[in-house]
Amino acid sequence: MKKLLLLLFSIISLLTGIFFIGLFINNYFPFSIERTNQVVLLKKSEVGIKMFPAYYVYAGEDGKYTRHKVSKHTINSTKLGDKVSGYKIKDRFYTIKDIISDLFSTIIFVFVGTLFVMLGIIYFIRQTKFFQKFLVLLRNIRINEEKTKFFKNFLFIGALLFVSWKYILYKTPIYFKTFDYTSAEILSTERNPGYGRFNGPTFAFTVRFTLDDGEKVISKIKVSNNVYERYEEKDTIIVYYEISNPFYVYLPDHPS
């Protein structure tokens, strides 16, 4: 029974690995890329939602548009109606930021696929003499107490940074940049229930305000539970924005 389960797991691992690698091949081959431009119809930022602030433009042609990731410079220098440069791959438009994000995700898919393939192959080679010698070599590797302690401390610090990275990256720029404030309309509210002990519920507002030059800024920003309970859609709230980058929007935990 045990051997049968191991065989089934190995076969499933092989098929899963082939599937992930197949996704990569399907997305990029035959690889063809063409330089092109599309018209920007809307701009939006997200601050405090992910590890780093994210900036997006909604661009397209003939009334059809899709969301694309852009740099801080691009979102501030591009006006509505301007064209944003990018590339067309398999009849789909990508900005440089899109390609970087997509390639990163694809690399993960390929890595996971390769890992599953290797897990599947291990079942069939585990009885070979080479594999048995490899297991003996692993058993003979000894790690002293100092290296073990260092490894444990390294994992602890890594776990601590992983839990607190959002707070650090969201709060730190606020104390080193120059902000102004204005009234903004709350377009929508959002509550994410979260999961697990270290990832509780999160709250966000999508707000809109107008700069002195008439440009409209739309941003999805993280808010506290206290703020989330006090305001509703279509309410007006005071928000802070970075003067050199108005799409970096900040909301105090206790706004006036």
Side-chain angles (χ1 to χ4, degrees):
M1 184 66 181
K2 184 179 179 181
K3 288 184 177 180
L4 178 61
L5 290 175
L6 285 172
L7 178 61
L8 288 175
F9 173 77
S10 301
I11 294 174
I12 293 173
S13 297
L14 277 169
L15 293 176
T16 304
I18 293 171
F19 171 75
F20 280 124
I21 295 174
L23 286 178
F24 169 75
I25 295 173
N26 180 64
N27 286 335
Y28 287 96
F29 291 96
F31 187 82
S32 61
I33 187 169
E34 176 187 350
R35 183 97 181 182
T36 185
N37 300 301
Q38 289 199 347
V39 178
V40 175
L41 303 175
L42 181 70
K43 301 191 294 181
K44 183 180 178 181
S45 63
E46 293 184 356
V47 182
I49 308 300
K50 300 178 181 179
M51 179 179 289
F52 299 102
Y55 305 100
Y56 300 97
V57 297
Y58 290 74
E61 297 174 342
D62 302 326
K64 299 178 181 179
Y65 58 91
T66 52
R67 190 177 78 163
H68 303 281
K69 186 177 288 187
V70 295
S71 66
K72 177 176 68 175
H73 172 74
T74 299
I75 198 170
N76 284 289
S77 61
T78 305
K79 303 296 182 182
L80 298 184
D82 290 350
K83 290 187 176 182
V84 62
S85 62
Y87 300 90
K88 183 177 288 187
I89 303 175
K90 284 194 169 183
D91 297 325
R92 183 179 173 184
F93 179 76
Y94 292 85
T95 61
I96 290 293
K97 282 277 188 177
D98 287 333
I99 293 174
I100 293 173
S101 299
D102 202 51
L103 283 175
F104 180 75
S105 302
T106 302
I107 289 171
I108 294 177
F109 271 105
V110 173
F111 174 78
V112 172
T114 304
L115 183 64
F116 274 112
V117 169
M118 292 178 65
L119 285 174
I121 293 175
I122 283 175
Y123 174 81
F124 298 101
I125 66 172
R126 59 194 297 265
Q127 301 300 328
T128 62
K129 292 182 179 180
F130 173 79
F131 190 78
Q132 295 301 322
K133 290 180 180 179
F134 179 71
L135 291 179
V136 172
L137 179 63
L138 289 179
R139 294 192 189 101
N140 291 333
I141 296 176
R142 297 181 179 180
I143 303 176
N144 58 43
E145 292 184 3
E146 291 184 2
K147 290 183 179 179
T148 302
K149 186 177 180 180
F150 171 80
F151 185 68
K152 289 181 178 179
N153 291 335
F154 179 79
L155 288 179
F156 174 75
I157 295 172
L160 187 64
L161 290 174
F162 178 79
V163 172
S164 59
W165 59 262
K166 274 191 178 181
Y167 181 83
I168 294 172
L169 292 173
Y170 178 54
K171 291 292 186 181
T172 300
I174 294 168
Y175 302 105
F176 296 96
K177 297 180 180 180
T178 305
F179 285 80
D180 200 353
Y181 65 91
T182 187
S183 297
E185 178 189 1
I186 300 175
L187 299 178
S188 64
T189 63
E190 182 180 325
R191 181 184 187 276
N192 186 343
Y195 57 91
R197 181 178 179 182
F198 298 105
N199 192 0
T202 57
F203 310 91
F205 287 168
T206 299
V207 300
R208 178 178 61 193
F209 58 91
T210 305
L211 299 175
D212 293 337
D213 61 2
E215 182 176 12
K216 294 186 182 298
V217 174
I218 299 176
S219 182
K220 181 179 179 181
I221 56 177
K222 180 182 178 181
V223 300
S224 65
N225 184 24
N226 174 56
V227 174
Y228 179 82
E229 296 294 340
R230 286 176 56 188
Y231 294 89
E232 297 179 352
E233 290 183 15
K234 298 184 179 180
D235 285 350
T236 300
I237 191 171
I238 299 296
V239 297
Y240 291 77
Y241 62 92
E242 185 186 347
I243 293 177
S244 60
N245 175 24
F247 283 86
Y248 189 97
V249 183
Y250 163 61
L251 186 66
D253 290 339
H254 304 283
S256 57

